């Protein structure tokens, strides 16, 4: 599980990379999945990416759809990115994880690498550890991996980018936040030695883009090295 996906997926640069995204509005807003694809196609490997996004309110609803299961079973996917586990906003309730586990298991059975996308914390909520641990438990039970986007947001606090990574509702990412989320997924797939073109977009200047690339790479590198002992939100913000 600690091997870089790059050594598995990119032995032949000419081989197309097929990525399926399953998630809710956190994945679809601001074109996060499309931004991941742009980075994957911009790092000099010459790879072409086939990507598909299927949206739903949560992973439970997505699992219940026959078309979702059929899409995964069709095979040919190298990576399936899963986002939208039901999480208690008050942190007081537990929701079924069986559907998320089933989706990851189906993806793996079909020959894909299953990646869970751990969402960023809401405004004024210290909840990254809570979110990450829920996904980590699902990953442990399914053999999947967790892309700790929540900790990339925490790390950005220490970097003092002065960017607002959250939208006006305090829940969804701003365009800049989606940019950071996409970068974290990208480096998790391609490896920290990958060198994508720096896209100055969504209000992100070249200077800030370089900072966000560095944050995403650091979070991916440290999280992979630490395996089950990923730093806490407080450590990402201050250490």
């Amino acid at each position: 599980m600690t091997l870089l996906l790059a050594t598995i997926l990119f032995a032949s640069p000419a081989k197309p990379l097929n990525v399926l995204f399953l998630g809710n509005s956190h994945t679809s807003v601001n074109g996060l999945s499309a931004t991941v694809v742009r980075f994957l196609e911009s790092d000099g490997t010459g790879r072409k990416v086939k990507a598909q996004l299927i949206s739903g309110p949560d992973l439970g609803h997505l699992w219940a759809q026959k078309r979702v299961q059929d899409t995964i079973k069709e095979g040919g996917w190298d990576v399936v990115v899963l986002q939208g586990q039901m999480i208690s906003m008050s942190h007081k309730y537990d929701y079924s994880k069986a559907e998320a586990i089933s989706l990851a298991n189906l993806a793996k059975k079909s020959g894909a690498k299953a990646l869970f996308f751990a969402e960023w914390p809401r405004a004024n909520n210290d909840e990254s550890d809570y979110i990450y641990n829920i996904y980590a438990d699902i990953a442990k039970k399914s053999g999947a991996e967790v892309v700790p986007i929540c900790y990339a947001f925490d790390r950005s606090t220490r970097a003092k980018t002065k960017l607002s990574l959250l939208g006006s509702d305090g829940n969804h990412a701003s365009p800049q936040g989606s940019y950071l989320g996409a970068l974290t997924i990208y480096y998790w797939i391609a490896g920290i030695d990958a060198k994508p073109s720096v896209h100055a977009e969504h209000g992100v200047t070249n200077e800030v883009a370089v900072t966000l690339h560095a944050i995403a790479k650091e979070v991916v590198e440290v999280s992979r090295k630490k395996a089950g002992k990923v730093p806490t939100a407080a450590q990402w913000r201050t250490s």
Side-chain angles (χ1 to χ4, degrees):
M1 285 185 59
T2 58
L3 292 176
L4 289 178
L5 286 178
T7 62
I8 300 172
L9 301 177
F10 305 142
S12 173
K15 180 182 181 296
L17 179 67
N18 301 320
V19 185
L20 176 64
F21 293 88
L22 300 177
N24 58 30
S25 55
H26 289 311
T27 297
S28 60
V29 166
N30 301 317
L32 183 148
S33 59
T35 304
V36 175
V37 172
R38 285 200 295 280
F39 284 126
L40 287 168
E41 291 187 331
S42 74
D43 58 10
T45 60
R47 77 174 70 90
K48 296 297 181 182
V49 181
K50 169 192 169 185
Q52 182 176 348
L53 168 63
I54 302 178
S55 295
D58 55 67
L59 292 177
H61 282 81
L62 287 166
W63 169 250
Q65 296 182 41
K66 182 178 183 299
R67 74 181 183 99
V68 172
Q69 296 189 34
D70 288 345
T71 298
I72 298 174
K73 289 177 184 177
E74 287 172 3
W77 301 110
D78 296 298
V79 182
V80 177
V81 180
L82 301 159
Q83 177 270 319
Q85 168 61 24
M86 283 282 288
I87 294 177
S88 170
M89 296 182 72
S90 66
H91 302 180
K92 295 180 179 178
Y93 304 101
D94 293 323
Y95 294 100
S96 173
K97 300 172 183 174
E99 297 83 0
I101 293 170
S102 295
L103 282 168
N105 285 335
L106 184 59
K108 289 174 55 189
K109 185 177 179 180
S110 299
K113 176 71 71 173
L115 302 181
F116 282 103
F117 162 168
E119 304 95 340
W120 44 82
R122 294 167 294 158
N124 304 313
N125 282 270
D126 185 4
E127 59 186 0
S128 289
D129 296 334
Y130 177 75
I131 293 168
Y132 179 83
N133 288 334
I134 287 174
Y135 279 107
D137 184 56
I138 295 170
K140 182 178 180 180
K141 293 174 180 176
S142 63
E145 298 176 4
V146 183
V147 182
I149 293 172
C150 50
Y151 291 142
F153 273 57
D154 289 313
R155 175 64 182 82
S156 72
T157 301
R158 192 181 96 202
K160 298 180 181 178
T161 60
K162 297 183 180 179
L163 279 176
S164 177
L165 297 180
L166 294 175
S168 59
D169 65 358
N171 179 23
H172 290 86
S174 68
Q176 296 92 337
S178 293
Y179 185 97
L180 177 58
L183 275 176
T184 311
I185 295 172
Y186 165 75
Y187 282 114
W188 197 274
I189 293 174
I192 59 170
D193 292 327
K195 296 180 180 179
S197 297
V198 175
H199 296 155
E201 59 183 322
H202 296 320
V204 178
T205 64
N206 281 334
E207 181 180 4
V208 171
V210 169
T211 298
L212 295 181
H213 275 262
I215 291 170
K217 288 175 69 172
E218 179 187 355
V219 170
V220 169
E221 181 178 24
V222 172
S223 297
R224 283 191 175 281
K225 285 182 178 178
K226 295 293 185 179
K229 297 181 180 179
V230 176
T232 65
Q235 289 171 323
W236 281 115
R237 291 193 294 264
T238 60
S239 62

